[in-house]
Amino acid sequence: NAGVTQTPKFRILKIGQSMTLQCTQDMNHNYMYWYRQDPGMGLKLIYYSVGAGITDKGEVPNGYNVSRSTTEDFPLRLELAAPSQTSVYFCASSQGQGGIGTQYFGPGTRLTVL
Amino acid sequence: AQTVTQSQPEMSVQEAETVTLSCTYDTSESDYYLFWYKQPPSRQMILVIRQEAYKQQNATENRFSVNFQKAAKSFSLKISDSQLGDAAMYFCAYRSLAGANSKLTFGKGITLSVRP
């Protein structure tokens, strides 16, 4: 049981480039989340999903897109990278009605946009 | 909207001593969850302890315990017998039970150092 895995661990992008951050969980959780953590700050929610085929915006969705075609996978897409998207990105999952179970986090992806 | 405040940016504790990390929050809801997460240099977010607002009894997990004061909207974390491995950033977080979005609202975190 690997929990929540994220790839890549590190990435440097040039302004305007695109990339997909991968997230996979093997706990059969219905809820999944993407957060970003800026230096010296707590995490802020980008997007979340309550199940396969269902996604919704969080606090800071601009510049990102998500999809949820399977229970296990919840990729985050950056279409036109900007320096403001330099951050550490965390994927998380949870179970239980309303997703109220404990959220389990992946190890994070450190993204730098130059 | 809910807010979580951690007013101490840094704290230091001697190994084997006890330290308390403070957290306050603001909400108009009566039912919610509160959490403390640990983030070591590896950056992974690790759940330390969780408290349900409807429970009067303070949660305890081994050396970690909380002081939950619902009326004061205060949720502090006590670490007993501090160990070098406790050095990390600690985040207080709030989760509403209302609505379909069970997102966590985080404080800014506190950096805890442990002196040998």
Side-chain angles (χ1 to χ4, degrees):
Chain A
N1 190 326
V4 180
T5 57
Q6 291 181 238
T7 57
K9 285 188 169 59
F10 304 94
R11 184 71 185 268
I12 298 175
L13 284 181
K14 293 183 179 178
I15 293 172
Q17 285 186 319
S18 300
M19 77 163 294
T20 299
L21 282 66
Q22 301 292 343
C23 175
T24 299
Q25 54 94 5
D26 62 0
M27 297 174 283
N28 202 33
H29 286 172
N30 50 352
Y31 280 71
M32 294 188 75
Y33 312 82
W34 274 106
Y35 293 91
R36 60 178 285 173
Q37 184 182 25
D38 298 328
M41 304 293 286
L43 281 67
K44 292 190 177 180
L45 184 67
I46 305 171
Y47 270 96
Y48 70 99
S49 169
V50 304
I54 306 169
T55 63
D56 206 348
K57 297 177 181 178
E59 294 175 79
V60 289
N62 291 343
Y64 307 94
N65 279 299
V66 294
S67 59
R68 184 97 180 269
S69 57
T70 67
T71 299
E72 295 79 17
D73 299 307
F74 189 41
L76 177 72
R77 178 85 177 159
L78 282 72
E79 290 295 348
L80 293 170
S84 61
Q85 294 177 305
T86 294
S87 190
V88 180
Y89 291 83
F90 289 94
C91 179
S93 71
S94 67
Q95 188 59 304
Q97 187 178 2
I100 62 173
T102 299
Q103 289 194 15
Y104 294 87
F105 285 81
T109 295
R110 182 180 291 277
L111 175 67
T112 302
V113 182
L114 301 174
Chain B
Q2 296 82 23
T3 58
V4 176
T5 303
Q6 294 178 254
S7 56
Q8 308 154 305
E10 297 178 354
M11 284 198 75
S12 180
V13 63
Q14 190 75 34
E15 194 176 5
E17 297 293 310
T18 296
V19 64
T20 298
L21 311 182
S22 301
C23 173
T24 58
Y25 59 95
D26 190 27
T27 183
S28 58
E29 298 174 336
S30 59
D31 206 7
Y32 46 86
Y33 288 171
L34 295 165
F35 303 82
W36 277 98
Y37 281 89
K38 172 184 177 181
Q39 188 180 45
S42 67
R43 298 202 313 274
Q44 188 153 9
M45 295 291 282
I46 302 166
L47 178 66
V48 175
I49 201 164
R50 158 178 143 162
Q51 174 80 43
E52 290 90 339
Y54 67 87
K55 290 187 178 178
Q56 292 186 339
Q57 187 173 6
N58 289 324
T60 299
E61 287 288 342
N62 301 314
R63 298 183 295 108
F64 299 89
S65 61
V66 299
N67 183 5
F68 173 48
Q69 302 289 328
K70 191 173 183 179
K73 295 179 183 173
S74 170
F75 182 60
S76 60
L77 175 70
K78 186 171 82 171
I79 306 174
S80 304
D81 186 26
S82 297
Q83 300 175 359
L84 295 178
D86 294 335
M89 197 149 184
Y90 287 81
F91 290 93
C92 178
Y94 172 102
R95 183 158 81 220
S96 169
L97 293 181
N101 178 7
S102 61
K103 77 176 181 77
L104 291 167
T105 299
F106 287 85
K108 291 186 178 181
I110 177 171
T111 300
L112 176 67
S113 58
V114 180
R115 305 185 303 274

